[in-house]
Structures are given as structure tokens and as C-alpha cells.
Amino acid sequence: MKFALFTVILLCGLNGAFAQKAVKNTTAYITSLRCDFDRNEGVVMFDKNVYIDYDGYQMSSDRLFAFISGTNEVTRVVALGSVSVTNGARIGTCEMATYDKRLRRIEMFADSKSRKPAKLNDTRPDGGTIEGSKITFWTESEEVEIENSRIEVKSGKSVGKGVL
């Protein structure tokens, strides 16, 4: 079931969410098998097969909570279970992710039960892979902070048998 009308009204305040630059009046489209809205608490829960398409970014998860202010503007998002975020060039995977609109910050968390790390993979030719128990990414500055990190970077062009 697609909640396009609902998301136009509620989620157009996501300017900059999962994006490098804020874009005014961009609409986030969210699909899921179920959606519940608690106006008193200011929380919208999307459940089962959640998929977001927003300004060139896509996110999928098992469940997503959108926290809204009194003006129906999204202030924070929490995605749970098999989370994937991508803009084509970068692909992030984790068990839980949060987005704070005020700070323009995405936090990705590892799965504490299986110990599967949060992972951010840059698929561009000069990209690399970052893994950790927590990855924090600021969308405006593109700064990244990793806890318990493991980083794989491409170190140069091949020359003969060696790598520079």
C-alpha cells in the first residue's frame, strides 16, 4: 500500500534527509505493508517492507518510526531491522539507523546480537569500505566518525606487481 498523499502532507519537511544538500519542497514517498499514526505522541510507524525514495536516496528497513513536531515536520527518523541506505555511490547497511534533521546526522548501528557491524561502502573507483559498531555521518559536511573501526581504502594505482 502506498501512502503518497499522506507522505506529501507529513514528510515534505524532510529537506536534506539522506541528502547532501537541502532541497525545498521535495517529497519523500514511503511504502510499507502497514502504517499507524499516533497524533498525541507525534509518531508515525511504518511496518513491514518499508521503502523510502527521497531526492535520489533510497532507504529500506523492516520498520520505521518518523517523529513529527506540532507543525507536521519530521524531526527524527528511526529505522529498525535490515536497514539499507543508498544514493547509488554509497551504500550503508546496519541493524538500526537514526536521522536527526536538526543536526543533519545519520547514525548507523551494528547488530549487537549477531555482532554484524554497521557498514558504509563507497562504490566509486577511489572509494572504500568502513565498518564499525557505530558509524556517524553528517550529511552537509560529509564527515564520518566510526567507533570500533575497520577501514578499507584503495591506496593507489597498480604499477607492475606492486601497488602505490
Side-chain angles (χ1 to χ4, degrees):
M1 183 178 299
K2 191 164 187 167
F3 295 93
L5 177 60
F6 184 71
T7 57
V8 168
I9 295 168
L10 179 64
L11 298 178
C12 62
L14 262 171
N15 296 339
F18 313 115
Q20 296 173 4
K21 296 182 180 179
V23 177
K24 291 186 178 185
N25 299 321
T26 299
T27 302
Y29 291 93
I30 303 176
T31 59
S32 67
L33 295 179
R34 181 180 172 163
C35 176
D36 291 319
F37 177 46
D38 185 334
R39 183 173 294 277
N40 291 333
E41 295 296 321
V43 179
V44 183
M45 184 207 51
F46 297 91
D47 193 25
K48 296 186 176 141
N49 299 325
V50 182
Y51 179 78
I52 300 172
D53 189 353
Y54 177 76
D55 192 33
Y57 283 72
Q58 295 78 42
M59 178 181 199
S60 63
S61 65
D62 297 333
R63 180 173 284 174
L64 181 125
F65 295 90
F67 296 86
I68 59 172
S69 68
T71 60
N72 285 343
E73 183 175 349
V74 173
T75 58
R76 190 167 72 104
V77 172
V78 176
L80 302 169
S82 302
V83 180
S84 174
V85 181
T86 184
N87 69 351
R90 293 185 185 102
I91 302 168
T93 55
C94 59
E95 187 58 25
M96 181 178 94
T98 65
Y99 173 73
D100 184 312
K101 182 181 177 191
R102 185 179 59 80
L103 299 174
R104 301 219 188 272
R105 178 183 71 199
I106 297 172
E107 293 178 310
M108 299 180 357
F109 298 89
D111 186 340
S112 60
K113 291 179 184 175
S114 70
R115 301 214 183 249
K116 183 177 179 184
K119 188 180 213 179
L120 184 59
N121 183 24
D122 189 333
T123 62
R124 296 177 295 189
D126 60 343
T129 301
I130 298 168
E131 293 182 354
S133 59
K134 179 182 174 187
I135 299 173
T136 305
F137 180 80
W138 285 268
T139 59
E140 285 190 354
S141 65
E142 293 194 10
E143 292 178 30
V144 179
E145 180 179 288
I146 311 109
E147 292 182 17
N148 301 312
S149 63
R150 180 182 171 276
I151 301 172
E152 176 187 312
V153 293
K154 296 179 179 143
S155 60
K157 297 180 180 178
S158 293
V159 178
K161 294 183 179 179
V163 175
L164 297 178

